[in-house]
C-alpha cells in the first residue's frame, strides 16, 4: 500500500509543524512547505519528510513548488493550506489598503494560488482532499456571542480573511468535481500568532486538521469544523 502524500504550507512552526509530526506518525509522506530553507530542512528531518520551498504569497514560488512535487512525488493526496498571518496590530481606523493586501495576500489569495497550482497533482490521487485552516474568528455567530472568546477580538483584516477562507472552501467544494474541500478551525491555540496566549495546546489545535486529512471519503465535502464538530457560520 502506497503512502499518503501530504503537503502542508507554513509547516515550519506552530500548527503546521504539529500537523506534520502527527501525520508523519500516522504514515503519511509529509512535504514540509516553508519559506526558510534552514528551518524547513530541519523540520523535514525531524518528521521524516521532505522540505519544499514555498511562499504562498508569491505565485512564482507556488508554481515552482508544484513543479517540485510533480518531479519528485508525481501526485498529491492531501493539501493542507495552513500558512497564515494576523496582520498589523493597529486600531481599526488606522488600517490601510496595503495592510489588507498583505493579510489577504497570504490568508486568502494564498489558498487560491495553491489550489490552482496543485489541482493537477491532486487529480492524480485516488482520494484527493484539501484542508483549509480557517478560524472561528471568521464566524458571525461566534464573534457575536458575548460568552465566546471570539467576541473579545477586534481584528478586521484577520477575521474577514478567515470568513473568506470558509466561503472559499464551500465554493470550491461545490465547483470542483472529484476533490474534497473542507475547513478546520483550530480554536484558541497557543502559537506564535497569538504570542502563545491561547488556551489549547498545539496538539488540541491540530485535532480538526488531522481528522479532516485522514477521514474516509464518505465524510463529505464543503464542511467547516472544529475539534468538537461543525463550525457555526
Amino acid at each position: 500500500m502506497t503512502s499518503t502524500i501530504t503537503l502542508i504550507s507554513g509547516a515550519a512552526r506552530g500548527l503546521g509543524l504539529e500537523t506534520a509530526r502527527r501525520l508523519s506518525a500516522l504514515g503519511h509522506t509529509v512535504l514540509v512547505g516553508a519559506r526558510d530553507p534552514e528551518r524547513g530542512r530541519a523540520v523535514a528531518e525531524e518528521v521524516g519528510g521532505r522540505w519544499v520551498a514555498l511562499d504562498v504569497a508569491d505565485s512564482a514560488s507556488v508554481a515552482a513548488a508544484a513543479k517540485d512535487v510533480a518531479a519528485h512525488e508525481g501526485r498529491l493526496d492531501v493539501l493542507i493550506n495552513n500558512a497564515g498571518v494576523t496582520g498589523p496590530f493597529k486600531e481599526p481606523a488606522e488600517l490601510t489598503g496595503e495592510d489588507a493586501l498583505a493579510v489577504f495576500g497570504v490568508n486568502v489569495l494564498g489558498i487560491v494560488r495553491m489550489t490552482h497550482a496543485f489541482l493537477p497533482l491532486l487529480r492524480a490521487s485516488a482520494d484527493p482532499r484539501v484542508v483549509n485552516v480557517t478560524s472561528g474568528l471568521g464566524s458571525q455567530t461566534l464573534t457575536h456571542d458575548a460568552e465566546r472568546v471570539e467576541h473579545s477580538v477586534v481584528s478586521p483584516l484577520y477575521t474577514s480573511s478567515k470568513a473568506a477562507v470558509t466561503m472559499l472552501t464551500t465554493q470550491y467544494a461545490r465547483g470542483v468535481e472529484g476533490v474534497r474541500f473542507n475547513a478546520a478551525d483550530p480554536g484558541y491555540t497557543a502559537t506564535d500568532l497569538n504570542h502563545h496566549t491561547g488556551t489549547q495546546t498545539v496538539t488540541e489545535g491540530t485535532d480538526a486538521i488531522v481528522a479532516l486529512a485522514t477521514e474516509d471519503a464518505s465524510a463529505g465535502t464543503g464542511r467547516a469544523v472544529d475539534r468538537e464538530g461543525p463550525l457555526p457560520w
Side-chain angles (χ1 to χ4, degrees):
M1 183 176 179
T2 59
S3 174
T4 299
I5 300 170
T6 300
L7 171 64
I8 307 167
S9 68
R13 57 179 51 84
L15 294 169
L17 171 55
E18 181 66 8
T19 301
R21 285 185 183 131
R22 293 183 67 179
L23 291 179
S24 180
L26 291 172
H28 286 221
T29 296
V30 173
L31 305 179
V32 176
R35 293 177 298 173
D36 182 342
E38 183 177 352
R39 181 67 182 157
R41 290 191 179 99
V43 170
E45 182 175 356
E46 177 183 344
V47 304
R50 186 173 76 81
W51 169 61
V52 175
L54 177 62
D55 180 355
V56 302
D58 183 336
S59 295
S61 173
V62 173
K67 289 181 180 178
D68 180 299
V69 176
H72 287 86
E73 285 78 26
R75 77 172 198 280
L76 188 63
D77 300 304
V78 185
L79 172 61
I80 301 178
N81 287 311
N82 166 73
V85 295
T86 58
F89 293 97
K90 293 181 178 179
E91 290 297 318
E94 301 301 317
L95 294 170
T96 66
E98 288 70 24
D99 294 332
L101 285 171
V103 174
F104 276 72
V106 174
N107 296 358
V108 181
L109 301 184
I111 290 177
V112 176
R113 294 184 187 101
M114 292 290 287
T115 302
H116 179 262
F118 284 94
L119 264 179
L121 288 164
L122 286 161
R123 293 192 188 282
S125 168
D127 182 19
R129 68 218 86 140
V130 178
V131 179
N132 294 327
V133 178
T134 187
S135 172
L137 288 169
S139 162
Q140 293 192 52
T141 299
L142 297 184
T143 55
H144 283 82
D145 183 345
E147 296 185 359
R148 297 279 307 201
V149 67
E150 290 88 352
H151 179 75
S152 67
V153 176
V154 178
S155 180
L157 300 182
Y158 182 77
T159 57
S160 59
S161 75
K162 289 303 185 178
V165 168
T166 302
M167 183 57 76
L168 265 181
T169 303
T170 62
Q171 289 292 300
Y172 276 129
R174 293 176 63 190
V176 178
E177 293 289 334
V179 181
R180 286 185 285 140
F181 288 82
N182 291 294
D185 168 26
Y188 191 31
T189 303
T191 67
D192 290 348
L193 260 64
N194 57 38
H195 304 290
H196 295 270
T197 59
T199 55
Q200 292 185 155
T201 67
V202 287
T203 300
E204 292 170 325
T206 55
D207 281 347
I209 301 171
V210 171
L212 290 175
T214 57
E215 67 186 6
D216 187 83
S218 63
T221 187
R223 295 169 297 135
V225 302
D226 61 17
R227 66 196 299 262
E228 303 296 335
L231 184 69
W233 183 248

